Amino acid sequence: MAPPSGSSSQPTQAPALRPEVEPARAPASHWLVGGAAGVAVGAAALVGVMSATVAVPTPIVIETRGPAAIAAAVEAPALAAPVEALVEPPPAAPSRASELALVIEAGGVAYMALTELRADGERSDDDAPALPRHRRPELVERSTVVAAVDGADLAPELAAWRDRQVRVGASCTTSVTGFALVARLEGDPFYLGEGGDDLDDLALAWTAEQVMRHGAVVVAARLAGCHGAYARDAALPAVVELAPVSAPADELAAAARARLVASAPAQELVPALTAEGHPPSAPFDGVEFATQVVRHPGTGVTFVSIHGVSDGGCGEAERNVWGLYRVGDAGLETVVERSLGTMYAVDALLDLDGDGELELLGEDWLGLDRIVARADGREVVRLDVPFYGCPC
């Protein structure tokens, strides 16, 4: 259901990116074979001694000696290098492939959100974490504020992003040139309740101080270039974006729609829909189905994503179901069918880990919050933007 009037979207605290440098792998150890060669030479010399004594009538007793004594008795070639001790390789560092940051556009500049300081604009100042020392906040857009921050005033793990190469989207590489606090909100200052009850207050503009106090605030890395929805350390594998497929997209979309409507998550919505007057024979009439037919460039697998959603208004039954299907030799194979929860638009299908499993990039029902989630619903990262107004 839609959030109540005048409320802000609930935040999900996103962990700070970990900009640690992966440890260098120790060089592989080398086994030298000089000792074995010495044993071989000693063995050959021993055979020569034995053959030279065959013609002597009196038996000769040969003392049996181990390989070490034989090797010591025979002059062995000098070793080219000392024998190295076998070194156990260090454990593999975590891939960190799922680490992802969302990108904010503010005043024509791209910022990569590193960590969220305050997401819920309704918190009191006492509940909100302290902001790092920063310069004077500037209103760069109607309800977006930027305040420059020196790296020396940030935690070391955040300051370490300075000058680091990052990849925006799937292919654009740029660097971090500095840091800032970025604060955002949407709506109208009238709903703050800080002024009178005159409706003329709806025309009032936001101030930088209001946005900093009531908005969602993040520590962000300023990017030298590149614009997109997400970014990550360029040392990590590039995110795979699934490309759209044309034919036979129409047939696959029709098959996916029939499969999704018949699914358990969709059928759970039918009683509420029919109670609103929708015909029992076609309870999903009026529900818009957005379909994406895409192919994974690495695995070659074709997927169909279909999302049925309707934002008819406050008080109506929720219609927000999604299905993901793999195209196999025998037709569609169900990957997942579920409600998308707070995600009301699927903008792109991604593979963050290179494992062939898909993630979703989308938005909330107001189009303000940006969300990246696993196909099963687990969120990878989210940026909330408080809304002050009546959403209905």
Side-chain angles (χ1 to χ4, degrees), residues 1-88:
M1 297 298 293
S5 172
S7 69
S8 60
S9 53
Q10 294 299 314
T12 299
Q13 183 74 16
L17 298 183
R18 303 189 304 277
E20 68 270 16
V21 178
E22 297 186 7
R25 185 175 295 275
S29 299
H30 304 286
W31 288 96
L32 300 182
V33 296
V39 172
V41 173
L46 180 62
V47 172
V49 172
M50 294 176 65
S51 63
T53 61
V54 172
V56 180
T58 303
I60 299 176
V61 179
I62 301 175
E63 181 183 358
T64 303
R65 294 185 294 177
I70 295 174
V74 179
E75 185 179 357
L79 297 178
V83 179
E84 298 176 7
L86 181 63
V87 178
E88 189 72 22

Side-chain angles (χ1 to χ4, degrees), residues 129 207 238 287 291 351:
T207 66
V287 176
T291 308
D351 182 356

Side-chain angles (χ1 to χ4, degrees), residues 12 100 102 340-345 347-348 350 359-365 368-374 377-384:
T12 299
L100 198 73
L102 294 175
L340 277 188
T342 59
M343 184 183 291
Y344 273 71
D347 297 329
L350 314 171
E359 286 79 31
L360 293 76
L361 170 67
E363 303 173 347
D364 73 336
W365 76 296
L368 301 179
D369 297 352
R370 300 286 290 175
I371 310 161
V372 177
R374 306 286 188 188
R378 291 172 295 150
E379 288 191 359
V380 176
V381 64
R382 179 186 188 119
L383 278 181
D384 295 292

Side-chain angles (χ1 to χ4, degrees), residues 19 68 165 366:
Q165 294 288 299
L366 289 176

Side-chain angles (χ1 to χ4, degrees), residues 160-225:
W161 282 92
R162 178 72 192 222
D163 299 325
R164 183 170 297 186
Q165 294 288 299
V166 298
R167 185 179 292 107
V168 181
S171 59
C172 188
T173 302
T174 186
S175 60
V176 172
T177 61
F179 304 97
L181 298 181
V182 180
R184 298 180 300 158
L185 52 73
E186 284 294 339
D188 198 282
F190 172 81
Y191 289 93
L192 290 177
E194 295 179 347
D197 55 2
D198 189 346
L199 292 181
D200 290 340
D201 289 343
L202 289 173
L204 292 177
W206 290 100
T207 66
E209 189 273 335
Q210 286 175 322
V211 177
M212 286 292 291
R213 189 170 75 252
H214 298 285
V217 183
V218 300
V219 175
R222 185 175 64 248
L223 303 181

